[in-house]
Amino acid sequence: MTGSHEPDAALLRLMRARGLAAKYAVLDAEGETLLSPQAEDRLAPLARGNLDEAGRDLHLGLLRACREHGLGKGSTIFVNALIDVWLHGDDWDGKIALLEDWSDILLADQVAERLKAFAQKDIPLRERVVWHTDLLKRCRTQGIAEGADTHNNAAGRTPPATPKWRNDPAALMEELSRLDETDVPDNWSRRVTILESMLSTVSTAAGNEAEGLRATFSSDLATTYQKLLEAGMVDPSQILTLRIPTHALYDEALDIRRRHQHWIKVAHTASNQATILQREFYAGDANAAPRAHALYDEALEILRRDKRWSDVARAANNKASLLSAEFNDGDANAAQRAHALYDEALDIHRRHQRWGEMAGTAQNQACLLLREFEAGNASAAPRAHALFNEALEIFRRHQIWGEVAKTASNQATLLHREFDTGDTSAAQRAHALYDEALDIRRRHKRWIEVAHTRYATHSALRHY
């Protein structure tokens, strides 16, 4: 079997497993193989003859969510996306097929309760939600086939159309203000609808006030698109079609705000767009990095000038992380620039006693020093240990156990590398940290991370 086809057998088992619980078991057993870019690349050709287009996209979304967020959070993100796809689809056969393939999720009590609560809200989608709630109730009590027939006879095969939102700017602005008070995922799709409507309303209006509103709506809409993308709440087939307008919206907002010299808003918008470009670089788009750096530099210049130190620290940490990724890709000059920014962020966090953010930045910089040590820079290790120790002390004190486990595992890896270069005293300290990480991950049932930590421990034991 060639290297490029290694995930094939595991992917076929995943596709043939019925329901999320069965698929989760396959992912738990074969996560190292399935949660990889290679598996995502192989999914499309293997899906031919095994899945329809919607099934392929859903499996791709499941793999990507679990790879990027871990099995626990990734599964939750996927379930939200699955419910959204099922609720907004109009094809009857496709809707019933989803019920059959994902019955353990869509017919679960939690989904029925969620739709029931949603239907009780005073929203234009109520009729559509009630239609789907009735379909679920019939399928839960009668079985999918019989319940679908009953529902077809009683309510028809086509759900009520998603209504056009009332184009009343005052009412929409009032509702938008209410949604902003509780920024939760369930509100994001509605927020998009309102912002799109408001942007359309002011798109042809003239004057400074209209331009200011257009900049605000464009920036807020782009940010909400990005939240939906990051949370996995977008149909995989729609991801690219959302990313393009996201950048166009940010570009328009930046253009308006620069012309009107609204510099702090320019800085925040530039930083938000740079963050998206940074993620695109991580996903393989090498062309995204230069533009991200230009936007970060613009934001940092403004924020330093205005002494917005918390924002400076956040942007400096993000830009440093991008430089760190470029160092990993072979840019040896990137490390020194990254350290200068990490140092700036750490100094600000310490001055303002923002311990959680300080610990996160310390760990990021320590990981860069770890990679420099692996590349042959022996002097990087002492400072990396100091930063790992500082981060661990803070995470333990605040009982942020997931970060404790991650930091302990990373520092143990550095000790493992030191042992490999001849420091025999490093092994015992490495095992203590690996054991701490394993204990935390077992308690929190993070089994994929347990498997990776056990593998690292086993690798260290072979040389002990």
Side-chain angles (χ1 to χ4, degrees), residues 50-329:
N50 291 289
L51 299 171
D52 59 16
E53 184 177 351
R56 180 203 65 200
D57 290 343
L58 283 168
H59 280 78
L60 179 61
L62 175 61
L63 289 178
R64 193 163 292 162
C66 290
R67 179 165 70 87
E68 293 178 356
H69 300 281
L71 277 185
K73 184 177 179 182
S75 296
T76 300
I77 289 170
F78 171 76
V79 167
N80 289 334
L82 173 63
I83 295 169
D84 195 59
V85 168
W86 185 75
L87 182 62
H88 289 93
D90 288 325
D91 177 63
W92 171 263
D93 292 333
K95 198 174 292 291
I96 301 306
L98 285 175
L99 279 176
E100 292 171 341
D101 291 341
W102 303 93
S103 59
D104 60 338
I105 296 300
L106 294 175
L107 296 183
D109 292 342
Q110 296 92 324
V111 174
E113 289 300 316
R114 179 172 168 180
L115 290 181
K116 181 179 177 182
F118 195 31
Q120 290 172 349
K121 298 178 182 178
D122 184 17
I123 55 170
L125 274 176
R126 176 185 292 173
E127 290 184 8
R128 187 178 184 91
V129 174
V130 168
W131 187 94
H132 283 84
T133 303
D134 291 343
L135 173 59
L136 287 183
K137 187 185 301 181
R138 288 165 176 141
C139 290
R140 280 159 57 89
T141 56
Q142 301 175 28
I144 293 175
E146 187 176 345
D149 285 341
T150 301
H151 188 81
N152 182 21
N153 293 331
R157 296 164 61 93
T158 305
T162 302
K164 299 291 183 183
W165 300 104
R166 188 162 51 100
N167 193 18
D168 179 348
L172 291 175
M173 286 297 290
E174 183 180 344
E175 184 179 359
L176 186 61
S177 179
R178 289 198 306 271
L179 293 175
D180 287 345
E181 291 174 2
T182 55
D183 184 24
V184 295
D186 283 349
N187 291 343
W188 292 345
S189 293
R190 174 62 178 145
R191 196 169 189 274
V192 163
T193 304
I194 295 173
L195 287 167
E196 288 176 340
S197 176
M198 296 303 295
L199 189 58
S200 174
T201 300
V202 300
S203 62
T204 58
N208 291 343
E209 184 178 0
E211 277 207 320
L213 286 171
R214 194 155 64 246
T216 298
F217 295 147
S218 294
S219 178
D220 289 354
L221 181 56
T223 301
T224 310
Y225 279 159
Q226 185 60 19
K227 287 179 179 179
L228 290 168
L229 288 165
E230 290 174 7
M233 296 172 66
V234 177
D235 187 320
S237 65
Q238 300 299 313
I239 288 176
L240 285 179
T241 60
L242 262 192
R243 280 192 174 143
I244 293 170
T246 296
H247 284 301
L249 290 163
Y250 275 132
D251 289 343
E252 180 176 19
L254 281 169
D255 177 63
I256 294 170
R257 287 170 170 172
R258 287 175 184 134
R259 282 193 282 107
H260 290 275
Q261 300 184 8
H262 296 162
W263 298 120
I264 295 302
K265 291 182 178 180
V266 167
H268 290 155
T269 306
S271 188
N272 287 341
Q273 187 174 14
T275 301
I276 298 176
L277 289 160
Q278 184 169 344
R279 291 192 179 95
E280 291 174 9
F281 175 79
Y282 293 161
D285 183 0
N287 296 323
R291 192 172 177 212
H293 281 304
L295 288 164
Y296 277 135
D297 290 341
E298 181 180 19
L300 281 166
E301 180 184 356
I302 296 167
L303 295 168
R304 287 170 181 143
R305 187 174 68 226
D306 208 61
K307 298 182 180 180
R308 301 289 184 106
W309 299 121
S310 294
D311 291 333
V312 169
R314 192 173 299 111
N317 178 72
N318 289 340
K319 180 176 167 68
S321 296
L322 175 57
L323 287 163
S324 181
E326 290 178 288
F327 174 79
N328 293 342
D329 284 354

